[in-house]
Short mmCIF file of all heavy atoms in Angstrom, two decimals:
data_model
loop_
_atom_site.label_atom_id
_atom_site.label_comp_id
_atom_site.label_asym_id
_atom_site.label_seq_id
_atom_site.Cartn_x
_atom_site.Cartn_y
_atom_site.Cartn_z
N GLY C 1 0.68 -1.28 0.01
CA GLY C 1 0.02 -0.04 -0.01
C GLY C 1 0.81 1.30 0.05
O GLY C 1 0.29 2.35 -0.25
N LYS C 2 2.05 1.19 0.42
CA LYS C 2 3.07 2.29 0.50
C LYS C 2 2.47 3.37 1.49
O LYS C 2 2.41 4.53 1.25
CB LYS C 2 3.18 3.02 -0.84
CG LYS C 2 3.77 2.01 -1.87
CD LYS C 2 5.14 1.55 -1.53
CE LYS C 2 5.80 0.68 -2.56
NZ LYS C 2 7.08 0.12 -2.25
N LEU C 3 1.97 2.82 2.64
CA LEU C 3 1.35 3.64 3.67
C LEU C 3 1.90 3.32 5.01
O LEU C 3 2.05 2.20 5.37
CB LEU C 3 -0.14 3.31 3.64
CG LEU C 3 -0.98 4.02 4.67
CD1 LEU C 3 -1.05 5.61 4.51
CD2 LEU C 3 -2.37 3.42 4.66
N ALA C 4 2.37 4.31 5.77
CA ALA C 4 2.93 4.17 7.02
C ALA C 4 1.95 4.59 8.15
O ALA C 4 1.61 5.60 8.29
CB ALA C 4 4.27 4.99 7.24
N LEU C 5 1.46 3.51 8.88
CA LEU C 5 0.76 3.69 10.08
C LEU C 5 1.57 3.09 11.29
O LEU C 5 2.60 2.59 11.13
CB LEU C 5 -0.61 2.98 10.00
CG LEU C 5 -1.55 3.39 8.78
CD1 LEU C 5 -2.91 2.63 8.97
CD2 LEU C 5 -1.79 4.84 8.73
N GLU C 6 0.95 3.29 12.44
CA GLU C 6 1.71 2.85 13.64
C GLU C 6 1.17 1.45 14.06
O GLU C 6 -0.09 1.36 14.23
CB GLU C 6 1.69 3.86 14.79
CG GLU C 6 2.55 5.06 14.42
CD GLU C 6 2.94 5.89 15.81
OE1 GLU C 6 2.15 5.92 16.67
OE2 GLU C 6 4.12 6.19 15.82
N PRO C 7 2.04 0.48 14.32
CA PRO C 7 1.56 -0.79 14.93
C PRO C 7 1.07 -0.61 16.37
O PRO C 7 1.78 0.05 17.19
CB PRO C 7 2.84 -1.67 14.81
CG PRO C 7 3.97 -0.71 14.91
CD PRO C 7 3.50 0.59 14.25
N GLY C 8 0.04 -1.47 16.63
CA GLY C 8 -0.46 -1.37 17.96
C GLY C 8 0.39 -1.70 19.17
O GLY C 8 0.34 -1.16 20.26
N THR C 9 1.40 -2.60 18.90
CA THR C 9 2.18 -3.03 19.97
C THR C 9 3.17 -1.81 20.42
O THR C 9 3.84 -2.06 21.52
CB THR C 9 2.94 -4.25 19.73
OG1 THR C 9 3.75 -4.10 18.56
CG2 THR C 9 1.96 -5.53 19.55
N LYS C 10 3.34 -0.94 19.70
CA LYS C 10 4.16 0.21 20.09
C LYS C 10 3.47 0.86 21.32
O LYS C 10 4.26 1.40 22.12
CB LYS C 10 4.16 1.33 19.01
CG LYS C 10 4.98 2.53 19.32
CD LYS C 10 5.04 3.51 18.09
CE LYS C 10 5.97 4.64 18.38
NZ LYS C 10 6.14 5.51 17.20
N TYR C 11 2.14 0.60 21.61
CA TYR C 11 1.59 1.05 22.73
C TYR C 11 1.39 -0.05 23.84
O TYR C 11 0.59 0.18 24.79
CB TYR C 11 0.09 1.74 22.29
CG TYR C 11 0.48 2.67 21.40
CD1 TYR C 11 0.58 2.33 19.96
CD2 TYR C 11 0.48 4.16 21.66
CE1 TYR C 11 0.70 3.32 19.06
CE2 TYR C 11 0.80 5.07 20.75
CZ TYR C 11 0.98 4.73 19.37
OH TYR C 11 1.20 5.64 18.55
N GLY C 12 2.21 -1.08 23.74
CA GLY C 12 2.08 -2.10 24.68
C GLY C 12 1.43 -3.30 24.11
O GLY C 12 0.76 -3.28 23.04
N GLU C 13 1.55 -4.46 24.76
CA GLU C 13 1.08 -5.70 24.27
C GLU C 13 -0.36 -5.60 24.06
O GLU C 13 -1.09 -6.30 23.23
CB GLU C 13 1.44 -6.90 25.12
CG GLU C 13 1.13 -8.27 24.68
CD GLU C 13 1.55 -8.57 23.19
OE1 GLU C 13 2.80 -8.13 22.87
OE2 GLU C 13 1.02 -9.27 22.47
N ALA C 14 -1.06 -4.80 24.97
CA ALA C 14 -2.60 -4.63 24.79
C ALA C 14 -3.02 -3.97 23.54
O ALA C 14 -4.23 -4.11 23.21
CB ALA C 14 -3.08 -3.83 26.12
N GLY C 15 -2.15 -3.45 22.92
CA GLY C 15 -2.43 -2.82 21.56
C GLY C 15 -2.27 -3.88 20.40
O GLY C 15 -2.55 -3.33 19.17
N ARG C 16 -1.95 -5.06 20.53
CA ARG C 16 -1.78 -5.96 19.56
C ARG C 16 -3.10 -6.15 18.78
O ARG C 16 -4.16 -6.34 19.41
CB ARG C 16 -1.21 -7.21 19.97
CG ARG C 16 -0.86 -8.24 18.76
CD ARG C 16 -0.25 -9.57 19.37
NE ARG C 16 1.11 -9.24 19.96
CZ ARG C 16 2.12 -9.08 19.21
NH1 ARG C 16 2.16 -9.09 17.87
NH2 ARG C 16 3.40 -8.86 19.85
N GLY C 17 -3.13 -6.02 17.45
CA GLY C 17 -4.27 -6.22 16.71
C GLY C 17 -4.81 -4.83 16.25
O GLY C 17 -5.97 -4.83 15.62
N PHE C 18 -4.16 -3.82 16.60
CA PHE C 18 -4.68 -2.44 16.33
C PHE C 18 -3.64 -1.66 15.55
O PHE C 18 -2.47 -2.01 15.53
CB PHE C 18 -5.02 -1.75 17.61
CG PHE C 18 -6.15 -2.27 18.39
CD1 PHE C 18 -6.21 -3.24 19.19
CD2 PHE C 18 -7.45 -1.55 18.16
CE1 PHE C 18 -7.26 -3.71 19.85
CE2 PHE C 18 -8.56 -1.97 18.79
CZ PHE C 18 -8.45 -3.19 19.70
N LEU C 19 -4.14 -0.62 14.82
CA LEU C 19 -3.23 0.29 14.22
C LEU C 19 -3.64 1.74 14.66
O LEU C 19 -4.86 1.99 14.94
CB LEU C 19 -3.38 0.22 12.69
CG LEU C 19 -2.93 -1.00 11.96
CD1 LEU C 19 -3.65 -1.24 10.57
CD2 LEU C 19 -1.56 -1.16 11.83
N ARG C 20 -2.63 2.62 14.58
CA ARG C 20 -2.95 4.08 14.82
C ARG C 20 -2.82 4.85 13.62
O ARG C 20 -1.76 4.82 12.90
CB ARG C 20 -2.23 4.65 15.94
CG ARG C 20 -2.81 6.00 16.55
CD ARG C 20 -1.83 6.62 17.58
NE ARG C 20 -0.79 7.31 16.98
CZ ARG C 20 0.03 8.11 17.47
NH1 ARG C 20 -0.14 8.42 18.78
NH2 ARG C 20 1.03 8.76 16.85
N MET C 21 -3.80 5.57 13.14
CA MET C 21 -3.72 6.37 11.99
C MET C 21 -3.95 7.91 12.26
O MET C 21 -4.99 8.23 12.95
CB MET C 21 -4.86 5.93 11.00
CG MET C 21 -4.88 6.62 9.64
SD MET C 21 -6.27 5.96 8.58
CE MET C 21 -5.66 6.52 6.98
N ASN C 22 -3.14 8.74 11.82
CA ASN C 22 -3.23 10.18 12.04
C ASN C 22 -4.04 10.78 10.91
O ASN C 22 -3.62 10.67 9.71
CB ASN C 22 -1.80 10.87 12.09
CG ASN C 22 -1.85 12.34 12.15
OD1 ASN C 22 -2.82 12.94 12.09
ND2 ASN C 22 -0.69 12.94 12.33
N VAL C 23 -5.06 11.46 11.12
CA VAL C 23 -6.00 11.98 10.10
C VAL C 23 -6.02 13.46 10.09
O VAL C 23 -6.99 14.15 9.56
CB VAL C 23 -7.45 11.43 10.20
CG1 VAL C 23 -7.46 9.88 9.96
CG2 VAL C 23 -8.13 11.73 11.46
N ALA C 24 -5.02 14.12 10.70
CA ALA C 24 -4.88 15.61 10.67
C ALA C 24 -4.12 16.03 9.51
O ALA C 24 -2.97 16.31 9.56
CB ALA C 24 -4.15 16.06 12.02
N ALA C 25 -4.82 15.92 8.29
CA ALA C 25 -4.16 16.25 7.07
C ALA C 25 -5.28 16.75 6.13
O ALA C 25 -6.56 16.43 6.35
CB ALA C 25 -3.55 15.01 6.45
N PRO C 26 -4.99 17.36 5.03
CA PRO C 26 -6.08 17.69 4.00
C PRO C 26 -6.84 16.53 3.46
O PRO C 26 -6.26 15.43 3.49
CB PRO C 26 -5.25 18.48 2.91
CG PRO C 26 -3.92 19.02 3.50
CD PRO C 26 -3.73 17.86 4.61
N ARG C 27 -8.13 16.83 3.17
CA ARG C 27 -8.91 15.67 2.66
C ARG C 27 -8.29 14.91 1.54
O ARG C 27 -8.36 13.70 1.46
CB ARG C 27 -10.25 16.20 2.28
CG ARG C 27 -11.23 15.07 1.75
CD ARG C 27 -11.47 13.88 2.75
NE ARG C 27 -12.30 14.40 3.94
CZ ARG C 27 -13.50 14.42 4.12
NH1 ARG C 27 -14.35 14.02 3.03
NH2 ARG C 27 -13.97 14.69 5.23
N ALA C 28 -7.55 15.67 0.58
CA ALA C 28 -6.88 14.92 -0.44
C ALA C 28 -5.94 13.99 0.04
O ALA C 28 -5.78 12.87 -0.52
CB ALA C 28 -6.23 15.98 -1.36
N THR C 29 -5.13 14.12 1.12
CA THR C 29 -4.17 13.19 1.73
C THR C 29 -4.95 12.09 2.35
O THR C 29 -4.53 10.86 2.20
CB THR C 29 -3.34 13.91 2.76
OG1 THR C 29 -2.53 15.03 2.15
CG2 THR C 29 -2.45 12.96 3.43
N ILE C 30 -6.01 12.37 3.02
CA ILE C 30 -6.91 11.34 3.67
C ILE C 30 -7.37 10.41 2.64
O ILE C 30 -7.38 9.10 2.78
CB ILE C 30 -8.03 11.95 4.46
CG1 ILE C 30 -7.40 12.94 5.62
CG2 ILE C 30 -8.82 10.90 5.12
CD1 ILE C 30 -6.50 12.44 6.55
N GLU C 31 -7.91 10.95 1.45
CA GLU C 31 -8.50 9.97 0.38
C GLU C 31 -7.40 9.17 -0.20
O GLU C 31 -7.61 7.98 -0.54
CB GLU C 31 -9.13 10.94 -0.57
CG GLU C 31 -10.33 11.65 -0.19
CD GLU C 31 -10.89 12.63 -1.18
OE1 GLU C 31 -10.21 12.79 -2.23
OE2 GLU C 31 -11.98 13.14 -1.07
N GLU C 32 -6.13 9.75 -0.27
CA GLU C 32 -5.00 8.92 -0.80
C GLU C 32 -4.71 7.82 0.19
O GLU C 32 -4.35 6.69 -0.18
CB GLU C 32 -3.85 9.81 -1.13
CG GLU C 32 -2.56 9.13 -1.67
CD GLU C 32 -2.81 8.48 -2.98
OE1 GLU C 32 -3.67 8.79 -3.70
OE2 GLU C 32 -2.01 7.39 -3.26
N GLY C 33 -4.63 8.23 1.51
CA GLY C 33 -4.36 7.22 2.41
C GLY C 33 -5.34 5.97 2.49
O GLY C 33 -4.96 4.83 2.53
#
C-alpha cells in the first residue's frame, strides 16, 4: 500500500491487533491514504 501507520504493540502488548492512523491532514491526503 505504500502507507505508514503505527503498529498497536508500540503502545504495549494490549495494543496488538490495532493500528493508529493520524487523520490531521487535508482531505486529499486522507483520500489517498
Side-chain angles (χ1 to χ4, degrees):
K2 303 297 182 182
L3 178 65
L5 304 184
E6 289 204 315
T9 55
K10 184 173 181 177
Y11 301 86
E13 184 60 30
R16 186 173 296 280
F18 290 81
L19 297 163
R20 197 186 77 167
M21 183 181 198
N22 176 354
V23 296
R27 179 58 65 89
T29 298
I30 303 303
E31 291 174 354
E32 179 64 21

